Amino acid sequence: DAMVIQNPRYQVTQFGKPVTLSCSQTLNHNVMYWYQQKSSQAPKLLFHYYDKDFNNEADTPDNFQSRRPNTSFCFLDIRSPGLGDAAMYLCATSLESAGYSNQPQHFGDGTRLSIL
Amino acid sequence: AQKVTQAQTEISVVEKEDVTLDCVYETRDTTYYLFWYKQPPSGELVFLIRRNSFDEQNEISGRYSWNFQKSTSSFNFTITASQVVDSAVYFCALSRMDSNYQLIWGAGTKLIIKP
């Protein structure tokens, strides 16, 4: 009964070839997050959705886009992956109402992206 | 500046030993939340605990306990009678009221429990 599901678990793409990572949730949480995590580092927030409102972090490259077609699904699109984009991508959800993150985030298992 | 420091990059202990992971934070906010997450080798981040700034009670959950001290801006995590399954990277994180849902993460402490 996984609650935040990420597909695929491993993704290999070629340099410059667009790739989409997906995330779905059964928790009905209003906030969904995408994080990038490189080896031996903390997760780095790329963007989040509060319901349908998209919020991009200031230092997220333009190469990264996201879509949230409904409450349950969220996608991360990398338009032209470079070697530096190889990382673990983590999707998370939370149920928030305070205007800032004060609730636990529930994470998926992550998608490990490799760039050839 | 708002910051979370986990000074211990890696800790290695033998099974059944007690171990404490340190977390020191800096914030200007009077209301804030602190979190601990566990990341086992499989990769998923698992929520362990949330503590708000107005609740300084220590918390115990089985072999896990947390010591929150505002006077020293610390939120330390102790595992009693450690087990091999406790081997993971542990992250401490701080909520930011001005940040629109961004957490401030510590660098993580890699805990290795040897059998």
Side-chain angles (χ1 to χ4, degrees), chain A residues 39-53:
Chain A
S39 184
S40 303
Q41 295 182 19
K44 178 179 181 297
L45 184 64
L46 296 173
F47 24 61
H48 75 272
Y49 276 92
Y50 186 106
D51 292 325
K52 292 186 177 181
D53 292 334

Side-chain angles (χ1 to χ4, degrees), chain A residues 9 31 33 35 37 41-43 45 48 50 55 57 88 90 96 99-105 107-109, chain B residues 31-33 35 37 39 42-47 50 91 95-103 105-108:
Chain A
R9 190 72 199 272
V31 186
Y33 310 79
Y35 288 89
Q37 187 179 28
Q41 295 182 19
L45 184 64
H48 75 272
Y50 186 106
N55 296 271
E57 294 302 309
M88 174 76 91
L90 294 161
E96 305 283 0
Y100 63 98
S101 184
N102 70 349
Q103 297 298 322
Q105 294 186 17
F107 286 82
D109 290 344
Chain B
T31 300
Y32 53 89
Y33 289 79
F35 302 84
Y37 286 88
Q39 189 171 39
S42 50
E44 77 281 16
L45 275 155
V46 178
F47 165 75
R50 179 187 76 153
F91 290 98
S95 67
R96 291 177 53 182
M97 291 182 69
D98 64 343
S99 73
N100 198 24
Y101 298 98
Q102 185 183 87
L103 291 177
W105 294 81

